[in-house]
């Protein structure tokens, strides 16, 4: 709401004894115009007032990106899911040109719910989850031998509940991945650039202010700005370094999962978006699988129906030979 040059001229030329009296707003502006470069100084103070919150926002954002990369790389369950999908896809694609694949693009995860079983409701992801909760349940349970059919049924239900808890926890284990998916790399880069340019702008204002004279108020303003600039410049250097590290880690994790195809990514953070969308689907499927298993146990079924035939003739899209993704876990009973 700064006045135009014409308004400034009129206010400065206005005499107190003029018959045309000024209103409160005009009186305030007239007083402000007596301060050298007043509105430029206000811009500098606004920058200072917002500096700490802007730096904190950027620091937390880059920390989230770093942790998100670490979560993806080190999540045993996520890697196990990838391994299970790859093995299941290869079993389905036996005899096709997509059989014996060594890797697949993460986008394929979103297509698992498109491959449906004979009932038209159960999907390939339901089958994969069922298989994993079986092996994970056995891994975490302490069942004993020489059991009766009743205890076997009870222990089987317990194993599947344990396994389902492990698979369902993936969404919370990758909490920072979901946060990173909501970020925009261009916005973050722009904010860092604005901070850097802001310091340059303040330096220019200090130089202008020094041309206004050498009275006490000018000296105080200059000292105050110089003190802030020394602190801010150091902080900006740290933020720029953190930005470089975070974006480098994002690039590495994208290449880790997508190989050379990472160059095709239009959005630097797209890998997080894909995983976030997959986790949303996985949460829903886990709830449905839990309901299916509970109903099956209530009906005293000793075997779980196989939702999807692993030898279905249609190929699973997205599989192709590249890097072999395998779980760091030595679970030899994974599907």
């Amino acid at each position: 709401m700064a006045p135009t040059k014409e308004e400034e001229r009129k206010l400065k030329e206005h005499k107190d004894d003029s018959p045309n009296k000024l209103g409160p707003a005009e009186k305030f502006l007239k007083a402000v115009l007596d301060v050298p470069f007043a509105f430029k100084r206000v811009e500098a103070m606004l920058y200072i007032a917002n500096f700490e919150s802007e730096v904190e926002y950027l620091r937390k954002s880059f920390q989230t990106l770093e942790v998100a990369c670490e979560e993806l790389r080190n999540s045993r369950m996520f890697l196990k899911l990838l391994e299970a999908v790859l093995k299941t896809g290869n079993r389905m694609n036996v005899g096709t040109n997509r059989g014996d694949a060594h890797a697949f693009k993460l986008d394929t995860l979103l297509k698992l719910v498109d491959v449906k079983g004979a009932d038209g409701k159960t999907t390939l992801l339901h089958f994969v989850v069922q298989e994993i909760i079986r092996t994970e349940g056995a891994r975490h349970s302490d069942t004993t031998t020489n059991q009766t059919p009743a205890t076997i049924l009870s222990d089987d239900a317990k194993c599947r509940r344990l396994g389902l808890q492990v698979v369902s926890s993936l969404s919370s284990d990758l909490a920072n991945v979901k946060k990173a998916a909501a970020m925009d790399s261009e916005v973050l880069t722009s904010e860092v650039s604005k901070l850097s340019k802001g310091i340059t702008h303040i330096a220019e204002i200090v130089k202008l202010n020094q041309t206004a004279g050498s009275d006490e108020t000018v000296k105080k303003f200059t000292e105050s700005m110089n003190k802030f600039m020394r602190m801010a410049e150091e902080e900006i250097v740290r933020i720029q370094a953190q930005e470089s590290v975070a974006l480098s880690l994002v690039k590495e994790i994208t290449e880790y999962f997508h190989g050379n195809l990472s160059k095709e990514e239009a959005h630097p953070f797209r890998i997080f978006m894909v995983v976030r969308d997959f986790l949303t689907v996985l949460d829903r499927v886990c709830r449905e699988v839990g309901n299916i298993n509970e109903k099956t146990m209530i009906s005293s079924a000793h075997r779980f129906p196989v939702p999807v035939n692993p030898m279905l003739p249609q190929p699973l899209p997205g599989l192709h030979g590249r890097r072999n993704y395998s779980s760091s876990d030595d679970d030899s009973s994974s599907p």
Side-chain angles (χ1 to χ4, degrees):
M1 299 298 290
T4 64
K5 292 296 182 182
E6 180 63 18
E7 289 170 337
E8 282 189 26
R9 183 186 64 77
K10 289 182 178 180
L11 286 170
K12 287 180 178 179
E13 292 177 353
H14 185 271
K15 304 299 181 182
D16 291 338
D17 57 356
S18 171
N20 298 318
K21 301 298 181 183
L22 297 178
E26 286 74 17
K27 286 181 180 179
F28 172 76
L29 282 177
K30 183 173 173 58
V32 169
L33 290 173
D34 291 335
V35 179
F37 309 105
F39 292 98
K40 289 186 177 295
R41 292 169 74 162
V42 168
E43 288 178 10
M45 289 186 285
L46 280 173
Y47 175 87
I48 293 172
N50 294 324
F51 184 81
E52 187 175 346
S53 61
E54 288 290 330
V55 167
E56 186 63 19
Y57 159 73
L58 290 170
R59 183 184 293 114
K60 287 183 177 179
S61 296
F62 294 135
Q63 286 175 349
T64 296
L65 289 173
E66 291 179 31
V67 177
C69 293
E70 185 178 350
E71 287 176 352
L72 271 184
R73 186 181 288 270
N74 299 325
S75 173
R76 185 190 70 86
M77 180 48 58
F78 184 63
L79 293 178
K80 188 175 180 67
L81 265 168
L82 296 183
E83 182 182 13
V85 170
L86 181 64
K87 288 183 176 180
T88 303
N90 279 334
R91 288 162 64 187
M92 291 171 59
N93 295 338
V94 168
T96 73
N97 60 356
R98 288 177 177 170
D100 195 28
H102 298 292
F104 61 89
K105 203 172 180 183
L106 289 187
D107 299 66
T108 306
L109 294 174
L110 302 178
K111 301 175 183 177
L112 297 180
V113 291
D114 295 332
V115 183
K116 299 185 182 296
D119 61 2
K121 296 179 181 179
T122 311
T123 68
L124 180 58
L125 185 56
H126 286 78
F127 172 74
V128 170
V129 170
Q130 286 279 29
E131 289 295 294
I132 291 181
I133 65 176
R134 177 179 59 80
T135 58
E136 285 298 301
R139 184 173 183 270
H140 288 81
S141 65
D142 54 352
T143 55
T144 57
T145 56
N146 301 323
Q147 297 173 304
T148 66
T151 57
I152 290 175
L153 183 63
S154 175
D155 287 342
D156 188 46
K158 179 182 177 182
C159 283
R160 289 184 179 274
R161 289 193 188 100
L162 284 172
L164 186 58
Q165 289 176 6
V166 175
V167 178
S168 299
S169 67
L170 181 61
S171 189
S172 58
D173 292 342
L174 300 181
N176 285 284
V177 172
K178 293 189 288 187
K179 290 180 181 178
M183 296 180 185
D184 189 316
S185 62
E186 291 184 0
V187 171
L188 293 177
T189 301
S190 175
E191 290 298 322
V192 174
S193 178
K194 284 181 182 178
L195 282 182
S196 181
K197 291 178 180 178
I199 287 293
T200 303
H201 186 56
I202 288 181
E204 293 172 354
I205 293 172
V206 170
K207 288 181 180 179
L208 282 174
N209 192 64
Q210 289 173 337
T211 64
S214 57
D215 59 28
E216 192 63 24
T217 56
V218 172
K219 288 181 180 179
K220 284 184 178 180
F221 178 80
T222 300
E223 290 174 1
S224 177
M225 292 297 104
N226 285 334
K227 181 180 178 180
F228 168 78
M229 283 192 294
R230 286 193 294 270
M231 179 278 295
E233 285 170 353
E234 293 176 0
E235 196 65 61
I236 289 173
V237 169
R238 285 192 286 268
I239 286 294
Q240 289 173 332
Q242 192 177 6
E243 176 192 27
S244 178
V245 170
L247 296 183
S248 177
L249 288 173
V250 171
K251 182 180 179 182
E252 286 179 13
I253 200 68
T254 303
E255 291 177 349
Y256 177 74
F257 285 106
H258 282 179
N260 292 332
L261 294 178
S262 64
K263 297 177 182 178
E264 300 174 10
E265 299 291 358
H267 194 302
F269 298 166
R270 187 172 180 275
I271 185 171
F272 302 128
M273 298 165 69
V274 171
V275 175
R276 176 199 60 192
D277 293 345
F278 170 68
L279 291 174
T280 299
V281 175
L282 180 66
D283 287 342
R284 174 175 58 79
V285 169
C286 283
R287 289 193 298 269
E288 293 173 356
V289 167
N291 292 334
I292 292 172
N293 289 348
E294 289 299 324
K295 291 177 181 178
T296 304
M297 297 311 298
I298 291 174
S299 64
S300 301
H302 294 279
R303 286 179 59 87
F304 290 93
V306 179
V308 178
N309 186 342
M311 300 299 290
L312 281 174
Q314 73 262 36
L316 177 65
L319 293 176
H320 48 84
R322 283 193 292 106
R323 187 188 297 109
N324 184 21
Y325 294 110
S326 61
S327 170
S328 57
D329 185 78
D330 59 354
D331 189 350
S332 59
S333 61
S334 59

